[in-house]
Amino acid sequence: MTDKPFKFSVISEPKDEKQWFGVARQAEDLGFTTLLMADVLTAPAPFPALALAAGATTTLRVGTWVLAGPLRLPRMAAWESHTLSALSGGRFDLGIGTGRPFVLEDADKLLGLQTPPAKERLAQVEKTIDELRALDGDAHTPVLIAAGGPKARALAAAKADLVTLAASPFTTREEMAERVAEVRKQAGDRAEKLEFVSPIYVIGDEAPPWVPRLLRTDMKTLIEHDSLNILRGSPQEMADELRRRRETLGFSSFTVNAVFLEKFAPVVELLT
């Protein structure tokens, strides 16, 4: 479905200066394209952390995976995004979505921020993108939209540069191919410019403890369902599988957790 060059991102969370700069520099040295971090109220704030990571590297991109639209006024999120993009030499990607349920619960509990209905949250995402485009002027900060339902996929088709399709870990290859094709069709003349990003939560046969909690299933079940959230085998077998996913599903960009940074590096080397 695509022949776009492979891109690989690593997702991490800052613990302290040494660890954070170490992850950023190691990711850059190993050929990863981007360092990503979540927008979670119980973890460090993404914009200052990513700014520091950009300053500690020279070619590595940085980005949010993903910003929860309801946590900030659209103009505020766009202002911070534009600033980071401009001061990093255009190395920032704004990943944005309507917010995962636990993030919205924390917003209510920790900020007293009432969660608006899904329709309003999606409108906030769109407004943030529009505000960012206005601030960017002739520049262009790449925007990734985490798209779950049909309306979010339609917005991604209209305004995103990168798209990740929020889906169950048991979504079949056929179902995923249909969703990619749907977004591409809706994008019209923009279709060839879109990049589709697929998260991989497990590299190898053993899942970290947080993966079953996040996906609400176990490794055995993921294997039985041929889940796209896992990647197994030798580095060459993994590379061949990612080539198949690019050819048949349209994914050219993949994310992995920093815990797999070194283990996945040989695959990056084979494909970039």
Side-chain angles (χ1 to χ4, degrees):
M1 293 180 71
T2 184
D3 58 358
K4 290 184 180 298
F6 282 107
K7 295 180 181 179
F8 299 101
S9 301
V10 59
I11 302 171
S12 188
E13 178 182 311
K15 303 297 183 184
D16 54 49
E17 179 186 22
K18 181 179 179 181
Q19 170 267 343
W20 186 234
F21 286 0
V23 169
R25 290 166 177 155
Q26 186 179 23
E28 183 174 61
D29 290 343
L30 292 176
F32 284 82
T33 306
T34 310
L35 173 64
L36 301 171
M37 66 175 291
D39 186 26
V40 182
L41 289 167
T42 53
F47 285 110
L50 291 171
L52 287 169
T57 54
T58 56
T59 61
L60 187 72
R61 301 189 66 80
V62 296
T64 49
W65 181 267
V66 295
L67 205 71
L71 297 188
R72 300 166 186 81
L73 295 173
R75 182 73 178 190
M76 178 64 72
W79 178 44
E80 299 230 26
S81 299
H82 171 72
T83 301
L84 183 46
S85 181
L87 297 184
S88 66
R91 289 190 285 137
F92 173 69
D93 297 341
L94 171 63
I96 189 167
T98 56
R100 299 190 67 164
F102 77 90
V103 175
L104 302 179
E105 290 171 7
D106 283 345
D108 185 10
K109 181 171 60 176
L110 299 176
L111 302 178
L113 188 64
Q114 296 296 314
T115 301
K119 182 179 179 180
E120 292 181 26
R121 299 201 306 273
L122 190 61
Q124 288 176 310
V125 170
E126 182 172 13
K127 180 65 173 175
T128 300
I129 297 170
D130 291 343
E131 294 280 10
L132 177 59
R133 293 290 172 248
L135 288 171
D136 273 349
D138 293 334
H140 185 86
T141 301
V143 171
L144 174 144
I145 292 181
K151 293 180 180 178
R153 294 198 293 271
L155 177 61
K159 298 196 173 184
D161 301 286
L162 305 101
V163 183
T164 185
L165 297 168
S168 160
F170 307 128
T171 301
T172 66
R173 292 173 187 248
E174 292 75 15
E175 291 168 336
M176 193 63 79
E178 289 173 1
R179 293 180 193 181
V180 171
E182 173 196 357
V183 174
R184 287 175 57 85
K185 182 177 180 180
Q186 290 176 318
D189 293 341
R190 300 182 64 251
E192 294 307 315
K193 297 179 180 179
L194 292 180
E195 291 186 36
F196 289 86
V197 186
S198 178
I200 302 173
Y201 293 107
V202 182
I203 302 297
D205 296 311
E206 197 169 325
W210 52 265
V211 170
R213 294 196 299 269
L214 177 68
L215 301 182
R216 298 182 180 180
T217 187
D218 55 34
M219 190 66 182
K220 180 181 177 182
T221 307
L222 291 171
I223 294 172
E224 289 174 349
H225 285 78
D226 186 30
S227 176
L228 293 170
N229 290 150
I230 62 176
L231 187 65
R232 303 162 63 226
S234 67
Q236 186 61 60
E237 288 169 334
M238 292 185 195
D240 291 342
E241 168 60 17
L242 293 184
R243 290 190 184 97
R244 281 191 290 272
R245 294 185 189 185
R246 182 175 66 173
E247 179 181 348
T248 62
L249 304 178
F251 293 114
S252 58
S253 183
F254 299 87
T255 70
V256 299
N257 190 277
V259 70
F260 297 113
L261 190 61
E262 293 183 3
K263 187 172 185 177
F264 191 65
V267 182
V268 174
E269 186 175 5
L270 286 169
L271 294 174
T272 57

